[in-house]
Amino acid sequence: MTIATLTEEQQLIIDTVREFVEREVIPVADAMEHADEYPDKIVEQMKEMGLFGMMVPEEYGGLGQPLTVYAQTMVELSRGWMSLAGILNTHTMATYLIKSYGTDDQKQRFLPRMVGGDPRASLLMSEPHAGSDVQAIKTRAVKDGDDYVINGQKMWATNGLRSGLCMTLTKTADTDPPFKGMSMFIVEKEAGAERSGGVIVGKNIEKLGYKGVETTEIAFDDHRVPAKNLLGDEEGQGFIHNMGAIEVGRVNVAARALGVATRAFEEAIRYAQQRETFGKPIAQHQAIQFKLAEMATKIEAAKMLMLNAAGLKDAGERTDLEAGMAKLYASEMCMEVCTEALRIHGGYGYSKEYTVERLFRDAPFFLIGEGTSEIQKMVIARNLLKKYKV
Ligand SMILES: Cc1cc2nc3c(=O)[nH]c(=O)nc-3n(C[C@H](O)[C@H](O)[C@H](O)COP(=O)(O)OP(=O)(O)OC[C@H]3O[C@@H](n4cnc5c(N)ncnc54)[C@H](O)[C@@H]3O)c2cc1C
């Protein structure tokens, strides 16, 4: 296990986010979620706190924090409202991509602006026919003079409308295997515009939960991107770049699942001490106590897996296996804990009057985003078979 010790400053960052969530987020989150309202004011406050530049090195104006600290702030934000962490997630993956793989020119041009959240970034990988099977994407970038011309259709773009910068995975060559012909572009567009150049943003997809933040289709129609915006200035590296960012994304999903599960547990243990049946609080029935014990134990186990994966990534190790385990366990755990929390609330858990109803609708997203549970199991098994090869 690689669990990093925090400095006083790092603990202060996490505590500050927790206090912010208690003060500014928890009182309004249920109402905003039910109204599917974009949290403009809260996002402005998150910008002021420097959260959009959390993992960007200080030389570019960021907070220069490791994934271990970033992930723990995502737990806190998601404990309030997981959509806030969703607004940050694709942006942080974009800053990670540019910081890790960008040319000096790309770092200078984009990172100092991104730390303030203007522009904000989206990450366009999935397509209507290709989610798990990333190598099946069809969006194509063709070199034309000093530009690349992009055509294709992206799906499930979190922050699709409000982002001013889209990290876009494309095919630049037909190769066998296909991943060798994939390239990532930094595509600039006008934030909030339905069309800028050849980038066309579709309507907001209505979702079960994860509301407030928009999820859209994005089409590219002969959109020209300067060649200097090819990430790392080298074709054929896009899949590898994407996989590096996805390790960060998987730790991030584990952290968000942990935040939602923690809140569901807190709501359940409070309710269990207030609600009485058969002459005593339901918390005094052993069946409810066993549920609470299992919920808290699973949350703790997920936290260890998440911190281990983050610590390894911070140490510069490949974390396919550990990030996959953390994401798989935390997302399945979150669904189970939210279901138990809803059941502890009885009929009231099914009512929008209680926060647990929202948490129960948010939880399934974690089973899907950044690779489904089935895909995590494939990644984990592949790594185990490599590690224990006979
Ligand atoms: C709210 C939301 C936000 C999202 N945001 C983004 C975003 O910002 N950017 C982005 O690029 N994408 C985003 N996604 C897309 C997400 O990453 C994909 O939905 C996910 O990877 C699954 O892909 P799919 O939906 O195409 O499902 P499919 O790949 O079609 O899978 C369907 C089912 O088949 C299973 N399956 C697939 N292949 C196998 C296999 N080999 N073996 C066993 N089972 C298999 C899957 O586990 C799943 O159960 C978002 C999705 C959602 C719902």
Side-chain angles (χ1 to χ4, degrees):
M1 275 265 164
T2 311
I3 310 268
T5 316
L6 299 180
T7 64
E8 264 180 42
E9 188 205 350
Q10 290 172 332
Q11 190 58 55
L12 186 63
I13 292 173
I14 298 164
D15 292 346
T16 304
V17 174
R18 186 177 181 87
E19 283 159 23
F20 167 72
V21 166
E22 288 286 345
R23 199 178 58 244
E24 304 288 340
V25 179
I26 289 183
V28 297
D30 285 354
M32 292 186 89
E33 200 268 353
H34 293 154
D36 203 354
E37 187 180 333
Y38 185 78
D40 276 310
K41 183 181 156 217
I42 297 175
V43 170
E44 286 310 308
Q45 291 168 312
M46 284 159 56
K47 285 180 186 173
E48 281 163 24
M49 291 167 76
L51 299 187
F52 284 84
M54 186 87 115
M55 286 179 65
V56 175
E58 285 170 333
E59 61 180 302
Y60 300 106
L63 296 182
Q65 291 302 318
L67 182 57
T68 300
V69 174
Y70 173 74
Q72 291 185 73
T73 60
M74 292 306 102
V75 174
E76 298 303 338
L77 271 187
S78 303
R79 190 179 149 264
W81 186 13
M82 72 88 125
S83 294
L84 300 178
I87 289 168
L88 272 174
N89 180 38
T90 56
H91 184 87
T92 300
M93 287 168 82
T95 59
Y96 177 84
L97 278 163
I98 296 173
K99 170 186 85 169
S100 307
Y101 309 112
T103 61
D104 281 345
D105 166 66
Q106 288 166 350
K107 291 178 197 172
Q108 294 292 348
R109 273 193 294 138
F110 296 109
L111 291 179
R113 289 192 287 134
M114 290 173 80
V115 296
D118 284 312
R120 282 181 28 213
S122 52
L123 177 62
L124 311 184
M125 181 180 68
S126 305
E127 300 190 356
H129 61 281
S132 304
D133 188 1
V134 179
Q135 294 193 60
I137 65 163
K138 291 182 182 155
T139 296
R140 190 162 279 278
V142 177
K143 186 99 194 277
D144 183 30
D146 290 339
D147 293 337
Y148 281 85
V149 180
I150 303 185
N151 278 289
Q153 176 83 37
K154 292 293 181 181
M155 185 72 191
W156 301 114
T158 304
N159 301 308
L161 181 66
R162 289 178 176 84
S163 54
L165 193 154
C166 312
M167 302 304 293
T168 307
L169 191 63
T170 67
K171 289 195 73 173
T172 41
D174 291 315
T175 53
D176 185 16
F179 79 83
K180 291 189 172 168
M182 294 168 77
S183 305
M184 181 83 78
F185 286 88
I186 308 168
V187 178
E188 293 176 88
K189 73 176 181 67
E190 191 186 331
E194 284 172 10
R195 178 162 197 145
S196 40
V199 184
I200 304 146
V201 181
K203 66 176 172 44
N204 190 13
I205 300 166
E206 291 209 12
K207 306 184 292 282
L208 170 70
Y210 196 7
K211 292 180 192 276
V213 54
E214 82 274 13
T215 311
T216 71
E217 293 183 32
I218 292 191
F220 289 90
D221 180 16
D222 280 338
H223 184 68
R224 298 188 84 86
V225 177
K228 64 181 180 177
N229 283 14
L230 166 63
L231 186 66
D233 196 27
E234 189 183 351
E235 286 188 17
Q237 298 300 307
F239 186 81
I240 292 159
H241 295 161
N242 198 53
M243 288 298 115
I246 273 198
E247 287 176 6
V248 172
R250 287 183 179 155
V251 171
N252 179 66
V253 170
R256 290 163 72 189
L258 199 51
V260 170
T262 301
R263 181 71 183 284
F265 171 76
E266 290 168 356
E267 295 294 317
I269 199 163
R270 186 170 59 230
Y271 185 83
Q273 292 170 83
Q274 292 164 343
R275 177 73 174 175
E276 293 196 0
T277 65
F278 302 97
K280 56 184 174 183
I282 59 171
Q284 296 306 321
H285 299 307
Q286 197 181 47
I288 299 291
Q289 290 179 354
F290 280 11
K291 281 186 195 292
L292 293 169
E294 283 188 26
M295 290 157 81
T297 306
K298 287 175 182 172
I299 289 170
E300 208 55 28
K303 186 174 180 186
M304 293 298 120
L305 287 173
M306 188 274 285
L307 289 174
N308 180 47
L312 284 170
K313 184 80 178 165
D314 288 333
E317 311 260 340
R318 276 305 308 268
T319 52
D320 250 17
L321 176 63
E322 293 79 6
M325 285 178 169
K327 199 268 172 187
L328 171 67
Y329 186 79
S331 56
E332 295 286 347
M333 174 282 292
C334 180
M335 194 69 245
E336 284 171 31
V337 166
C338 289
T339 306
E340 290 296 54
L342 182 140
R343 292 171 70 164
I344 288 172
H345 280 72
Y348 294 102
Y350 205 62
S351 149
K352 283 189 185 288
E353 295 287 310
Y354 285 79
T355 298
V356 73
E357 180 269 349
R358 164 169 72 84
L359 304 173
F360 181 76
R361 285 185 294 101
D362 279 345
F365 166 73
F366 302 126
L367 304 170
I368 300 163
E370 308 295 349
T372 64
S373 289
E374 291 75 20
I375 296 302
Q376 303 312 315
K377 287 180 194 172
M378 285 164 57
V379 170
I380 293 165
R382 197 168 53 229
N383 278 279
L384 290 174
L385 287 167
K386 221 187 286 171
K387 191 170 167 184
Y388 293 96
K389 190 169 168 43
V390 287

